Amino acid sequence: MLTLREILRRFWPYTRTDRAKLVAAFVAMAASTACDTAVVTMFARIVDGATVARSMDAVWPSAVDWMVLTAVGGVLSVVGGWLMVGAAERFVFRLRHEVFAHLQRLGPSFFSGHPTGDLISRLSTDIDGVEALASSGIVTTVIAVGTAAAYAAAAVIVQWQLALIVVALAPLMWLTSRITGRFTRTAARTERAAAGEVGNAIQQSLQNLPLVQAYGTEAVESARLDHHGEVWWRARARESRLQMVYAPITTIIQSGALLAVLVAGAAFIASGELTVGGLFGFAAYLGYLYPPLSQLGSLHLTITSASASCERLLEVLDAEPEVVDAADADPSPVRRGRLELRDLRYVYPGTDSAGLDGVSLTVEPGRFVLVTGPSGAGKSTLTRMLLRFVDPQDGAVLLDGVDVRDRTIAAVRDAITLLPQKPMLFDLTVAENIAYARPDATRAEVEAAARDAGALAFVRELPQGFDTPIGEDGATLSGGQRQRLAIARALLRTSPVLVLDEPTTGLDAPTARAVLDPLKRLSGGRTTIVVSHDLTPARDADLVVVLDAGRIVARGRHHELLARPGVYADLWAAQQGALPDDGPVPVPAPPRPVPVPPRRPVEVVPDAVTNPLRLLALAAAEAAVTARTAVSGRASNAALLAPSARESGTVAPPPPGHPTPRRPRHGAPPPDPRPGRSSRSSVTNGPLVTPRGPVPGPRGPASGPQPSSGRHDAGAPRRRTVADLVGGRPGAPSHRRPDPGP
Ligand SMILES: Nc1ncnc2c1ncn2[C@@H]1O[C@H](COP(=O)(O)OP(=O)(O)OP(=O)(O)O)[C@@H](O)[C@H]1O
């Protein structure tokens, strides 16, 4: 439980620009209190003027003084309050800003332990709690302390014997406040935590509302909210009731004190030690003294209640960012985009299994690397490390030969454009969403980016074109349209490195197709790392890196990896819909004859012969490849790897003076390096990212695409694929567990 002193110590820095105003406010309020105290001295003069001197001569000047002092005191009080409230509200505004800004610096570990709804509650309800303390609480304290001190001093001067009676009762009020505060503290903590849970329950339910509605689990979600809501309202009611109890108890104490003063005062008047005016004056002091004392008591409750909020805010402010700039970090921009990963190792805090373990890789500027692997292999961890969301515990990431930890975070993130898997759009207009990458972009640049991303046509169809609001996360757009806006946004950035996170995974074939060309434009000339389950871009990659359990288990060109058994071949087969992607390859025995499509005989690598299922997958893959080549008709500009580089894992640029070996265009696939493979059945180099075309299924006749037009008709009904036949979906990773088999 934080004390007022600790709260002031921790939060005082946030008042930095308003301290002059605070001082002015204190002075104004102190002067106002002095005026009010002086007014009370008029009580005795007016009453005694009439009752003792029996003359109005003393009454009128006192009455005039009374009015003047009251008016001046009132004005000073308004000025002081005005300044104080402005400073207090600005403090709350700044506090929210600081908490939010700090939150944005925190890393994945913090967010995995703090649900979004709870964090929203901290930034709203808990900030409101601090606001109650800062605005009314601090103003009340200042006025109350000043007023109570002034009236207490005046009361002692006027009648110290009566003042003693009052002082003797003051500890009772303090005790009441302490006892009530103790119970309030527990209730306030419970209430704030429950408010966080309520926020979280609402956020989760609304976020997943389509699922909730589709599964008819509205009652379950309501019950979840009610569960936390009930804890909240009970705690809230307890807190309010305790504060309510405090008021009548203090009234009884005050009333008792007044009675004691009257009785003692009557005795003093009877003995001639006190005039009636003196007793009136003292009673007036009491009337002014008790409200601020009472406010100080309830302030204790406000502090108790607000300290629960302060604790929750300090928990955020005290959380250490996982990545910070070194004191001498280099802010200069990264120009070439040469990327080197040196023996990276990362273990998530609180776990003992490595997310990455000894990962080394070099990518020369302008090269394209596909990083793939099964679920949990470490792909996302690698993406986080490239963008410095986390730093490795061992090893280093180097950009243009400099450890990213020696560069500023801003310089590293300026150098890398992330295209996240989820488009992540804001509830803004189309133009504002695109310009998010570069707020100073002109409308012409925004429109050019939209055109290059293939978004111009649909944006023009929107009711207000580029000025159409797209709703939360682009709710009014289709998945493909959202993705194209995200690509347009990325196109506005000119960074030398591009990280594409699952650019086509989860999109259906026509949608994926619609985003392929813009993706190629996006990657042109930049160092491109595609992190994906989807192996569609594999043929265009200068290097395919296969991660498994945090380690690189294979690397090479697509056809090289496909030629040898292992994780990659299994992934590829799984993607064709014939094998599960996350388990051992079942080897049925004895081998059964494999139906080979009659029009497209497939030559297989030796290991596939022993495994009919793999053979089946390869057959499907081959047909798909041929279909892709016919459909797309585009050749990639990616260069072939130098053998030495392939072995070392380095994607090397072509030697100077040598023309970059270009991939043959459509219709002229290169000879397959695998022995015994004809160019016809070899894995060809298609575009950077190419949708899988129709493939001949093993359970039906071969039905290769008709290359007559050279373009796929997106509007034509999609033919059944192997994936369809086995219930999978092309482009989407299979997460089915392997069939245990007979
Ligand atoms: N925030 C986290 N806290 C603890 N462990 C984590 C966290 N994120 C990932 N991991 C663990 O690190 C390992 C690698 O996870 P990562 O998300 O990088 O895999 P991935 O290849 O991206 O998987 P997927 O393809 O399913 O997204 C996994 O064992 C995972 O359980």
Side-chain angles (χ1 to χ4, degrees), residues 201-435:
I202 292 172
Q203 198 258 344
Q204 298 264 330
S205 295
L206 292 183
Q207 194 170 298
N208 299 324
L209 194 59
L211 183 81
V212 171
Q213 290 175 339
Y215 282 29
T217 51
E218 290 90 344
V220 175
E221 293 305 312
S222 292
R224 194 201 313 275
L225 175 63
D226 289 350
H227 170 72
H228 298 301
E230 192 167 337
V231 176
W232 174 81
W233 83 254
R234 286 187 189 285
R236 179 85 175 163
R238 198 159 57 245
E239 193 182 346
S240 300
R241 283 174 188 148
L242 284 166
Q243 290 180 349
M244 257 184 270
V245 165
Y246 174 76
I249 293 177
T250 53
T251 306
I252 292 169
I253 295 171
Q254 286 174 27
S255 194
L258 187 60
L259 183 62
V261 164
L262 283 178
V263 170
F268 287 137
I269 290 172
S271 64
E273 289 175 57
L274 188 67
T275 62
V276 175
L279 183 58
F280 258 97
F282 192 85
Y285 280 122
L286 270 195
Y288 281 93
L289 176 62
Y290 275 123
L293 282 184
S294 171
Q295 280 167 350
L296 283 177
S298 60
L299 176 74
H300 178 71
L301 301 184
T302 308
I303 295 168
T304 308
S305 176
S307 77
S309 290
C310 292
E311 279 170 6
R312 283 164 54 80
L313 293 174
L314 287 174
E315 189 191 339
V316 176
L317 288 170
D318 290 344
E320 294 285 339
E322 279 171 62
V323 174
V324 286
D325 276 339
D328 54 350
D330 178 7
S332 60
V334 176
R335 305 223 175 262
R336 298 176 62 232
R338 184 178 189 275
L339 190 63
E340 189 182 345
L341 315 180
R342 269 192 206 156
D343 206 15
L344 296 180
R345 182 176 161 80
Y346 185 79
V347 179
Y348 280 96
T351 69
D352 50 8
S353 61
L356 288 179
D357 192 5
V359 170
S360 295
L361 177 70
T362 303
V363 188
E364 294 297 338
R367 298 294 146 175
F368 163 35
V369 173
L370 171 71
V371 178
T372 191
S375 220
K379 302 184 293 296
S380 305
T381 309
L382 182 62
T383 310
R384 284 178 199 140
M385 206 162 280
L386 291 177
L387 283 143
R388 275 203 86 192
F389 296 152
V390 294
D391 277 339
Q393 284 124 359
D394 285 318
V397 177
L398 289 88
L399 263 175
D400 284 0
V402 178
D403 190 326
V404 290
R405 286 168 293 202
D406 295 333
R407 295 184 180 276
T408 59
I409 296 171
V412 172
R413 291 182 188 163
D414 268 356
I416 301 177
T417 292
L418 171 71
L419 184 72
Q421 181 180 10
K422 202 168 160 281
M424 296 187 185
L425 298 171
F426 292 88
D427 188 4
L428 299 169
T429 64
V430 169
E432 287 165 339
N433 266 292
I434 296 175

Side-chain angles (χ1 to χ4, degrees), residues 572-661:
W572 176 260
Q575 196 170 92
Q576 305 313 307
L579 290 174
D581 71 346
D582 55 354
V585 180
V587 182
R592 286 169 290 179
V594 176
V596 177
R599 287 203 293 132
R600 297 191 184 281
V602 175
E603 293 171 47
V604 295
V605 289
D607 74 291
V609 178
T610 62
N611 186 337
L613 285 182
R614 183 173 292 142
L615 179 59
L616 187 64
L618 283 172
E622 291 298 333
V625 166
T626 313
R628 287 158 48 103
T629 310
V631 168
S632 70
R634 298 253 185 140
S636 161
N637 60 357
L640 294 170
L641 277 175
S644 58
R646 265 178 270 150
E647 272 143 33
S648 67
T650 302
V651 188
H658 271 251
T660 302

Side-chain angles (χ1 to χ4, degrees), residues 422-513:
K422 202 168 160 281
M424 296 187 185
L425 298 171
F426 292 88
D427 188 4
L428 299 169
T429 64
V430 169
E432 287 165 339
N433 266 292
I434 296 175
Y436 192 81
R438 194 151 58 78
D440 62 343
T442 62
R443 176 56 75 99
E445 287 174 317
V446 167
E447 290 187 10
R451 189 182 52 246
D452 288 348
L456 200 57
F458 85 80
V459 171
R460 286 201 169 135
E461 304 256 299
L462 295 173
Q464 294 156 257
F466 278 90
D467 297 315
T468 309
I470 58 167
E472 190 181 330
D473 211 11
T476 58
L477 304 176
S478 74
Q481 290 169 338
R482 284 197 282 263
Q483 186 75 333
R484 271 174 276 172
L485 282 195
I487 294 170
R489 184 175 56 193
L491 276 167
L492 270 187
R493 286 171 59 99
T494 51
S495 56
V497 181
L498 185 62
V499 175
L500 308 179
D501 188 3
E502 305 279 3
T504 53
T505 302
L507 296 180
D508 59 34
T511 312
R513 231 181 339 266

